[in-house]
Amino acid sequence: MLSSIVLIVWAAFWVYWLIAAQGAKAGSHRRRTARPSVLLAVAFVLLRVLDPGGLAVQSPVVQAVGVIALLTGLGLAVWARIHLGRNWGMPMTEKDEPELVVTGPYRYVRHPIYSGILLAILGTALATNLYWLIAAALLGIYFVYSASVEERLLTASLASQYKCYQAKTKMLIPFVL
């Protein structure tokens, strides 16, 4: 039952995400890299190969913590997406007219959408099955790589303004990383 609810929450999130993407600014080009969907597909195959019930979470307390993390993470990603407005784009996309957004969740981390999605995947693992930690690890690697590429692009287009922002704000986890 809880797994179905988690799936519905994720589906609603992705429907919102696709609809919200319609108003984004055009980008001049996008770097060719592995897409998160490829990484999720790998994680899905691993979940099917491994015993799916082997690491199912049974504790109601851990499941509750997981649901809270899931909702908090998706909420953070949506808050960040709303705050970016038309400046949002696919990972590693260079915008034609880049603007530096440093308000809302961007006051605390430079990549709150990535942070939120990672927290939501961690929450999914705690609420349903610890095998989702595989997806969290794969996406974590992808997001750190994407953030690094995006930061090089932003540094090139926004120069000292972005360097100052980097010096004051952590990449993914406030006060830590």
Side-chain angles (χ1 to χ4, degrees):
M1 170 84 166
L2 183 56
S3 293
S4 297
I5 293 170
V6 167
L7 181 63
I8 290 167
V9 168
W10 274 107
F13 170 77
W14 288 116
V15 166
Y16 160 76
W17 209 254
L18 291 171
I19 292 169
Q22 300 307 310
K25 287 181 186 175
S28 56
H29 71 278
R30 181 171 189 266
R31 308 234 180 226
R32 301 290 299 163
T33 63
R35 296 180 182 255
S37 57
V38 172
L39 298 175
L40 285 175
V42 169
F44 180 78
V45 169
L46 287 173
L47 286 171
R48 292 295 171 204
V49 170
L50 302 170
D51 175 19
L55 291 177
V57 176
Q58 303 299 326
S59 167
V61 173
V62 174
Q63 289 176 328
V65 169
V67 169
I68 291 167
L70 166 65
L71 296 175
T72 301
L74 293 181
L76 174 61
V78 168
W79 182 32
R81 171 64 185 86
I82 289 169
H83 228 61
L84 271 181
R86 296 194 60 225
N87 292 302
W88 176 82
M90 291 298 293
M92 297 176 280
T93 302
E94 188 171 350
K95 290 294 180 188
D96 291 336
E97 298 173 22
E99 295 175 44
L100 182 58
V101 176
V102 297
T103 56
Y106 293 89
R107 284 181 290 204
Y108 308 107
V109 290
R110 296 189 306 267
H111 301 278
I113 291 173
Y114 295 159
S115 301
I117 291 173
L118 286 173
L119 180 59
I121 297 263
L122 175 64
T124 300
L126 295 176
T128 60
N129 193 309
L130 295 180
Y131 281 132
W132 279 105
L133 294 175
I134 296 168
L138 292 172
L139 276 176
I141 292 166
Y142 175 76
F143 286 161
V144 168
Y145 172 74
S146 295
S148 298
V149 171
E150 290 170 11
E151 293 198 346
R152 282 194 299 273
L153 294 172
L154 288 167
T155 299
S157 61
L158 299 171
S160 63
Q161 185 182 14
Y162 196 76
K163 283 289 191 190
C164 181
Y165 176 59
Q166 276 183 308
K168 294 188 287 187
T169 313
K170 296 295 184 185
M171 182 188 280
L172 293 170
I173 304 170
F175 314 111
V176 180
L177 172 70

